[in-house]
C-alpha cells in the first residue's frame, strides 16, 4: 500500500526586518512543531516586501539573510523544511499575472487586510498597484507549492479567503480541480501585544523584542513594559487583564501553576511589579539566550546559510515551474510543442 503523502504547508514572511517575539509566538513555534509531520516550505517574501518598500530595495535584500537566520536559529531544520527566496521563483510571477485575470479590482479593494494595511501605511490615494494586487501574488505562492495549510496570523485570514476564491474561479474555468484550496492555520494564542501594551508587537512601532535581543535589551524591554497603571504599591491589588507582563508569561512561561499563583497574588495585593517583571525577564532570557547564540553562530557561517538558500530555492524553482506548466496546459495556452 502506498503511504499518503504528508500535507503541504507554505508560509512566508516579508523580508523587511529581523523577526521578533511576536513572530515566535504567532508562527515560528508552529512551524518548528509541524515540520516533521508535514512537507513545509518557507518563503522569504522579498517580492512582496517590495510592494510597500520599493523605495528601499537594499533593506529588502539585506533582510532575506536576516530572516533566514531567524528561521534557522529558532529550529527550522533545513533537512526537512525548504527555505526559498520568492523573487528567484519566476513561476510565481507568471502565475500572479494569470491570477490577476480571475479577481476584480473591486474585490481587491474590498479585502479587509489590504484596507487596513493601506490605512496603516498612509497610502491613501497613492497605492502601489503591486501592493493592491499582492493577494493575487500570495495566491500564486500558496497554489504553486500545492499547499493546503497556511500558518499565518489572524490578520492574514482574508488573504487566504481570497486565494480560495481565485482557486475556485480558475478551477471552474478549467472544468476540473487543477488547483487546491488552502486553509489558514491561525495560532491559538492571539496576537502578542507590544511592550507598550497598545498594539500588536511590530518593529515599526518600536515596541518589539527582536529574537536577537541581548540580556540587557530584554531587561530594558521588560522594565518599560506596561502593567496596571493603578497598581502603585506592591501591597495594592492589581489587574491581570490587559497587563502585558501576564500576557507574556501566559505565552512563554511553561510553569502554568506558578503563573496562576502569581496572578492570584497580584490580584490580592502583595506582589510588586519589580518582582513580577523579574520572573518574566528570567523566562525570556532562558527562551532567547539559546536562539541568540545559535543565530550568531550561523551569522559567522554565511556559507552554510547561503547553501541552505541555494538548495531550497532550486527545489522550489522546480516545483513551482511544474505547477505553472500544469496550469498553462489546463488553461490551454499556446504551446510551441504542439502543431
Ligand atoms: N503576507 C505575509 C505577511 O504579511 C507574507 C507572505 C507572503 C505569505 N507570501 C506568503 C504568508 C504565502 C503565507 C503564505 O507576512
Amino acid at each position: 500500500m502506498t503511504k499518503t503523502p504528508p500535507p503541504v504547508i507554505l508560509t512566508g514572511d516579508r523580508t523587511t526586518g529581523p523577526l521578533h517575539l511576536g513572530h515566535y509566538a504567532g508562527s515560528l513555534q508552529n512551524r518548528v512543531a509541524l515540520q516533521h509531520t508535514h512537507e513545509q516550505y518557507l518563503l522569504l517574501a522579498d517580492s512582496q516586501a517590495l510592494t510597500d518598500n520599493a523605495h528601499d530595495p537594499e533593506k529588502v535584500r539585506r533582510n532575506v539573510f536576516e530572516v533566514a537566520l531567524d528561521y534557522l536559529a529558532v529550529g527550522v531544520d533545513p533537512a526537512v523544511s525548504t527555505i526559498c527566496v520568492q523573487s528567484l521563483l519566476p513561476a510565481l510571477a507568471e502565475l500572479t499575472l494569470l491570477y490577476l485575470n480571475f479577481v476584480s479590482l473591486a474585490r481587491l479593494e474590498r479585502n479587509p487586510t489590504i484596507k487596513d494595511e493601506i490605512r496603516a501605511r498612509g497610502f491613501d490615494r497613492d497605492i502601489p498597484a503591486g501592493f493592491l494586487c499582492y493577494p493575487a501574488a500570495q495566491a500564486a505562492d500558496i497554489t504553486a507549492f500545492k499547499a493546503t495549510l497556511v500558518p499565518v496570523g489572524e490578520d492574514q485570514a482574508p488573504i487566504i479567503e481570497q486565494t480560495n476564491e481565485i482557486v475556485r474561479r480558475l478551477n471552474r474555468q478549467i472544468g476540473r480541480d487543477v488547483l487546491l484550496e488552502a486553509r489558514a492555520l491561525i495560532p491559538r494564542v492571539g496576537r502578542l501585544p507590544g511592550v507598550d501594551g497598545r498594539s500588536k508587537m511590530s518593529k515599526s512601532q518600536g515596541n518589539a523584542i527582536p529574537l536577537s535581543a541581548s540580556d540587557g535589551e530584554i531587561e530594558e524591554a521588560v522594565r518599560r513594559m506596561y502593567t496596571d497603571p493603578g497598581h502603585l504599591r506592591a501591597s495594592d491589588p492589581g489587574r491581570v487583564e490587559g497587563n502585558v507582563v501576564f500576557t507574556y508569561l501566559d505565552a512563554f512561561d511553561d510553569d502554568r501553576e506558578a503563573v496562576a499563583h502569581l496572578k492570584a497574588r497580584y490580584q490580592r495585593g502583595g506582589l510588586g511589579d519589580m518582582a513580577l517583571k523579574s520572573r518574566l525577564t528570567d523566562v525570556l532570557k532562558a527562551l532567547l539566550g539559546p536562539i541568540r547564540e545559535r543565530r550568531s553562530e550561523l551569522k559567522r557561517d554565511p556559507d552554510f546559510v547561503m547553501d541552505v538558500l541555494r538548495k531550497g530555492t532550486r527545489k522550489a524553482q522546480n516545483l513551482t515551474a511544474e505547477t505553472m506548466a500544469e496550469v498553462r496546459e489546463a488553461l490551454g495556452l499556446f504551446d510551441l510543442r504542439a502543431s
Side-chain angles (χ1 to χ4, degrees):
M1 230 174 67
T2 50
K3 273 206 312 200
T4 46
V8 177
I9 288 182
L10 172 83
T11 184
D13 295 277
R14 293 182 199 170
T15 58
T16 50
L19 304 182
H20 54 61
L21 261 185
H23 295 111
Y24 186 79
S27 61
L28 294 174
Q29 257 180 326
N30 247 343
R31 300 179 196 178
V32 174
L34 294 170
Q35 65 184 340
H36 297 289
T37 46
H38 294 72
E39 180 161 345
Q40 180 165 253
Y41 295 89
L42 301 183
L43 194 58
L44 295 161
D46 58 343
S47 304
Q48 193 179 107
L50 279 177
T51 64
D52 60 342
N53 286 278
H55 59 281
D56 198 354
E58 148 60 18
K59 175 176 83 178
V60 171
R61 183 193 57 81
R62 181 167 24 94
N63 282 299
V64 168
F65 191 78
E66 294 298 320
V67 176
L69 285 177
D70 288 328
Y71 286 171
L72 296 169
V74 298
V76 169
D77 179 358
V80 289
S81 291
T82 303
I83 305 176
C84 53
V85 182
Q86 188 179 36
S87 68
L88 291 171
L89 306 175
L92 298 183
E94 289 180 74
L95 282 171
T96 302
L97 202 56
L98 282 178
Y99 291 179
L100 282 171
N101 303 310
F102 292 87
V103 60
S104 72
L105 205 49
R107 175 63 180 95
L108 288 163
E109 284 168 342
R110 262 202 319 273
N111 187 309
T113 306
I114 298 295
K115 273 167 114 173
D116 286 351
E117 291 181 338
I118 284 173
R119 212 172 303 124
R121 283 160 182 72
F123 280 152
D124 203 28
R125 279 324 301 162
D126 207 15
I127 310 164
F131 186 82
L132 186 65
C133 298
Y134 96 70
Q138 197 156 320
D141 299 342
I142 294 167
T143 53
F145 288 89
K146 299 186 161 65
T148 54
L149 282 177
V150 186
V152 282
E154 201 176 1
D155 57 308
Q156 288 277 302
I159 308 278
I160 313 302
E161 212 177 293
Q162 198 164 10
T163 293
N164 288 335
E165 282 176 32
I166 293 174
V167 165
R168 286 192 291 267
R169 285 190 64 176
L170 213 107
N171 283 342
R172 203 180 320 128
Q173 175 62 39
I174 289 168
R176 64 189 162 88
D177 291 349
V178 178
L179 300 176
L180 302 177
E181 290 191 43
R183 186 161 66 79
L185 201 64
I186 314 276
R188 153 190 70 77
V189 292
R191 282 261 160 184
L192 197 68
V195 294
D196 56 2
R198 254 176 300 169
S199 48
K200 69 174 188 182
M201 186 176 278
S202 116
K203 190 166 173 266
S204 56
Q205 301 272 328
N207 63 7
I209 302 178
L211 292 176
S212 58
S214 66
D215 281 352
E217 285 166 335
I218 293 171
E219 283 164 20
E220 177 56 25
V222 177
R223 200 176 309 130
R224 286 202 296 132
M225 208 169 264
Y226 181 88
T227 57
D228 169 7
H231 184 242
L232 299 176
R233 281 174 302 263
S235 54
D236 291 342
R239 282 173 56 89
V240 164
E241 303 77 33
N243 186 320
V244 181
V245 180
F246 279 112
T247 310
Y248 279 47
L249 284 175
D250 280 336
F252 301 113
D253 193 334
D254 291 332
D255 192 343
R256 322 264 23 129
E257 211 175 305
V259 175
H261 259 99
L262 287 175
K263 283 182 181 170
R265 257 182 73 202
Y266 197 82
Q267 282 167 322
R268 218 185 305 128
L271 175 63
D273 278 2
M274 287 270 277
L276 176 66
K277 286 185 168 185
S278 137
R279 176 167 187 108
L280 179 60
T281 305
D282 291 346
V283 167
L284 293 184
K285 280 182 183 172
L287 173 71
L288 293 182
I291 294 175
R292 182 179 61 237
E293 247 162 66
R294 175 102 181 94
R295 203 181 186 285
S296 62
E297 265 169 42
L298 288 158
K299 205 162 187 162
R300 277 182 260 117
D301 192 1
D303 289 349
F304 170 78
V305 181
M306 288 303 279
D307 201 47
V308 167
L309 294 187
R310 231 174 266 126
K311 287 198 178 111
T313 302
R314 210 175 298 132
K315 179 173 171 190
Q317 278 165 344
N318 292 332
L319 183 67
T320 55
E322 259 172 51
T323 306
M324 179 61 209
E326 285 163 21
V327 173
R328 272 194 76 89
E329 182 170 326
L331 264 179
L333 298 187
F334 192 83
D335 183 351
L336 284 175
R337 290 166 309 173
S339 53

